[in-house]
Amino acid sequence: MSPSAVSGSHHHRNHSLLADKAALLAFKKTIVFDPKYMLASWSEDGDVCSFTGVRCDKHRQSVVKLNLSRGAITGPLSPIISNLSGLRSLSLSENNFYGIIPPKFSSLHHLHSLLLDSNNLHGPFPEFLSILPNLTVLSLSGNHLTGTLPPSFFSNCTSLANIDLSQNLLTGQIPEEIGNCPGIWNLNLYNNQFTGELPASLANISELYNIDVEYNNLTGELPGNILGKLYSVVSLHLSYNNMFSHDHNTNLEPFFTALANCTELEELEMAGMNLGGRLPSSIGRRSVNLDTMLLQENRISGMIPSEIAHLSNLTVLNLTSNSLNGTIPAEINQMSSLEQLFLSHNLLTGAIPAALGQLPRLGLLDLSNNQLSGEIPSSLGNLVRLSFMFLNNNLLSGTIPPTLGQCTDLSKLDLSYNKLTGSIPTEISGIREIRRFLNLSHNHLDGPLPIELSKLENVEEIDVSSNNLSGSVFFQISSCIAVKLINFSHNSIEGHLPDSLGDLKNLESFDVSGNHLSGGIPTSLNRIQSLSFLNLSFNNFAGVIPSGGVFNNVTEKSFSGNPHLCGTVYGMPKCSPKRNWFHSRNCFIWKLSGHRAGEKTKNTGTDPQFSKNHL
């Protein structure tokens, strides 16, 4: 090559890179806010290939990649970027770019990847992207794009593999032409306003790996005809659309039969669609790889088939809010991989199978809001990985098994609204890992309020209301330093409230109404700045209602049914001046009798006996 040719090539290379540098610096000038200083290194005297987020080709001829994702940058999406003629990858995800997607981007013929997700872009879907022959990855999710998805976009899409248009405002039907894109493996269209049926042409995309069209307005029969040909599909997310099962929404069998061909299927999500029909016994012959099955919030009826236990690799099974009846199949103990089991809000009857205690990985068990009866199996104590147990709103009877104390990882335990009897086992109230709530309310529990509750240092809510518990509120309750809600109402608790309640700095709600508590109301409660709800009604409290803190914001409803209380709270009787004078006169007499001033009782506006009890 002649020296002049080498010089010309060098000049062209420098000219191209200088043009790219000028484009980037011009783009920088359009930026309104750069809180992370992503563009701080972009300067006239800097090396463009060393700019933050910029990568040049190996010959340093042009900028081929611009990545400013997660920069929290604010500014318009400038068409100046289209001057980067050699750009192959543009990633501006998770910023605050606004405006439309510039039509000039159609000149980026080398572009393989366009990632503009999680910004504030608006306007119609950019139809001009169809003329980018090398486009492989397109992510425009989390913006405000409107209008329809143009069929022309799928006219030249042989390279297209990954499409994410989720979380926009797109309308209309999904074009049948999408079947012209044989290389698509990921299709994310969820959280839009698409209507119509899933296009039958999806069956042509044999490599389709993920289909997510949740939260749209799609209609039509469940797409068994499409799925029967998608042998490679791993994730199928259809939830919260308006599809229906076969035979006028009464038959799920054809759809689950078609699924038998999806041997790679791991995730099946069809929640919130009002699907009718029964779970077929053939459900157990589905993909051995199935990991997640979400069928909640439908109209599925009948019994849970015992064959469901053949899904041995299932980790999440959610059948909540259907019309399932009959008993829980004991064979479910064969699902040894199960981690989350949701069967709440159905019509299930009979006893809780003891076999459930043989699920070694179970972390969540929700059987609430059914008609289950009998005793709580002691075998549930074998679920040592359990974090959440919801058995509330059933017809369960008998005592609370002490073995539940072996579930040391429990964060939430709810046994409320049953017919449980006996005392609260000390083993239960001593589970120190309970972090969220312990709810044993609305049962027939008796015995003393267990002092072991004070060991729950991390619990946020304790509700044992509406039982027959006795005893007193122990001063060690102040050890529950994280508690936000305490409800001991409607029991037979006696004695005085301890001053140590004032040490509960996070307490927001305190209800001991409907008990037999007596003595004075601890003034220490006014130290709890977070306390906003207080109910001491229908007890035997006496004396002056304290002031300050929560007492300045409550009404007489907090104290009604305590005839010996008085104070400045609106609706409550005022304290008698005679009582105050009598108390003061006693102090005066004591002083005249030779008592030192420091020994006289405080003038609290109550009788001496109350002052003694209170202190």
Side-chain angles (χ1 to χ4, degrees), residues 531-608:
L531 188 59
S532 58
F533 179 82
L534 180 66
N535 192 350
L536 308 179
S537 62
F538 298 99
N539 280 284
N540 297 314
F541 291 113
V544 178
I545 299 171
S547 59
V550 66
F551 297 104
N552 291 345
N553 301 308
V554 292
T555 67
E556 78 281 0
K557 292 181 180 180
S558 295
F559 309 103
S560 60
N562 289 280
H564 302 295
L565 280 178
C566 63
T568 57
V569 174
Y570 180 78
M572 293 297 294
K574 303 295 183 183
C575 295
S576 170
K578 291 183 179 180
R579 180 177 295 176
N580 288 336
W581 175 85
F582 178 76
H583 191 181
S584 300
R585 186 175 66 176
N586 279 344
C587 296
F588 177 70
I589 292 172
W590 291 354
K591 282 186 68 176
L592 292 181
S593 300
H595 286 75
R596 293 193 303 271
E599 294 179 339
K600 69 178 179 180
T601 58
K602 283 186 178 180
N603 182 359
T604 59
T606 66
D607 58 80

Side-chain angles (χ1 to χ4, degrees), residues 186-422:
N186 182 46
L187 179 63
N188 279 337
L189 301 177
Y190 64 89
N191 275 98
N192 277 285
Q193 299 170 16
F194 289 116
T195 55
E197 299 185 18
L198 277 177
S201 63
L202 285 175
N204 301 335
I205 311 176
S206 59
E207 298 302 313
L208 203 53
Y209 177 97
N210 173 63
I211 304 174
D212 193 340
V213 293
E214 292 183 340
Y215 293 98
N216 279 285
N217 298 311
L218 297 172
T219 57
E221 206 167 64
L222 287 174
N225 57 328
I226 297 173
L227 294 171
K229 300 176 182 179
L230 297 179
Y231 309 118
S232 300
V233 69
V234 171
S235 301
L236 177 62
H237 297 180
L238 304 177
S239 298
Y240 301 101
N241 280 285
N242 299 317
M243 298 179 189
F244 47 86
S245 62
H246 291 69
D247 300 328
H248 306 289
N249 202 34
T250 63
N251 189 1
L252 288 168
E253 177 80 44
F255 177 77
F256 279 98
T257 299
L259 277 187
N261 295 321
C262 304
T263 55
E264 302 299 318
L265 189 65
E266 295 180 8
E267 298 178 7
L268 175 63
E269 300 187 6
M270 301 195 303
M273 299 169 70
N274 288 320
L275 296 174
R278 295 170 174 258
L279 292 177
S281 58
S282 59
I283 194 172
R285 298 198 295 269
R286 302 289 72 82
S287 167
V288 294
N289 295 314
L290 196 62
D291 173 87
T292 301
M293 184 158 65
L294 307 185
L295 300 176
Q296 70 269 26
E297 298 174 48
N298 284 295
R299 296 180 183 175
I300 302 172
S301 58
M303 300 178 67
I304 301 173
S306 59
E307 290 83 358
I308 201 170
H310 297 158
L311 299 174
S312 57
N313 288 316
L314 205 65
T315 63
V316 180
L317 174 60
N318 195 335
L319 300 175
T320 292
S321 297
N322 280 285
S323 299
L324 297 167
N325 56 34
T327 59
I328 300 172
E331 291 85 352
I332 209 165
N333 70 334
Q334 299 171 27
M335 305 172 74
S336 56
S337 298
L338 204 59
E339 297 176 4
Q340 298 181 18
L341 176 60
F342 300 86
L343 300 178
S344 68
H345 292 85
N346 280 287
L347 305 171
L348 298 172
T349 56
I352 298 174
L356 285 181
Q358 300 172 25
L359 297 172
R361 299 183 181 179
L362 199 64
L364 183 149
L365 176 63
D366 188 355
L367 307 180
S368 64
N369 291 277
N370 280 286
Q371 298 171 21
L372 299 170
S373 57
E375 298 188 354
I376 299 173
S378 60
S379 61
L380 296 186
N382 298 329
L383 304 176
V384 293
R385 295 191 181 183
L386 205 63
S387 295
F388 307 100
M389 180 187 291
F390 305 107
L391 306 182
N392 52 288
N393 295 84
N394 279 288
L395 304 172
L396 299 173
S397 57
T399 60
I400 300 174
T403 53
L404 293 186
Q406 298 167 195
C407 303
T408 53
D409 284 339
L410 272 177
S411 176
K412 295 182 179 181
L413 175 61
D414 195 342
L415 307 180
S416 63
Y417 290 93
N418 280 289
K419 299 180 178 181
L420 299 173
T421 56

Side-chain angles (χ1 to χ4, degrees), residues 101-219:
I101 299 174
K104 286 190 175 182
F105 278 16
S106 61
S107 64
L108 297 172
H109 297 296
H110 299 286
L111 200 63
H112 288 257
S113 178
L114 179 59
L115 308 178
L116 301 178
D117 50 281
S118 301
N119 280 284
N120 290 310
L121 302 172
H122 67 268
F125 177 85
E127 184 175 358
F128 55 82
L129 294 179
S130 61
I131 65 176
L132 301 180
N134 298 308
L135 193 62
T136 302
V137 179
L138 175 63
S139 181
L140 305 179
S141 66
N143 283 287
H144 308 288
L145 301 179
T146 56
T148 60
L149 195 54
S152 60
F153 174 68
F154 301 106
S155 62
N156 183 24
C157 57
T158 53
S159 298
L160 203 58
N162 188 334
I163 305 176
D164 191 348
L165 307 179
S166 59
Q167 296 178 294
N168 279 287
L169 302 170
L170 298 171
T171 57
Q173 297 189 356
I174 302 171
E176 195 71 36
E177 287 80 0
I178 195 171
N180 298 331
C181 311
I184 294 178
W185 62 270
N186 182 46
L187 179 63
N188 279 337
L189 301 177
Y190 64 89
N191 275 98
N192 277 285
Q193 299 170 16
F194 289 116
T195 55
E197 299 185 18
L198 277 177
S201 63
L202 285 175
N204 301 335
I205 311 176
S206 59
E207 298 302 313
L208 203 53
Y209 177 97
N210 173 63
I211 304 174
D212 193 340
V213 293
E214 292 183 340
Y215 293 98
N216 279 285
N217 298 311
L218 297 172
T219 57

Side-chain angles (χ1 to χ4, degrees), residues 1 3-15 61:
M1 185 179 292
S4 60
V6 172
S7 175
S9 174
H10 179 73
H11 173 75
H12 173 76
R13 182 166 65 244
N14 282 349
H15 174 75
Q61 291 183 339

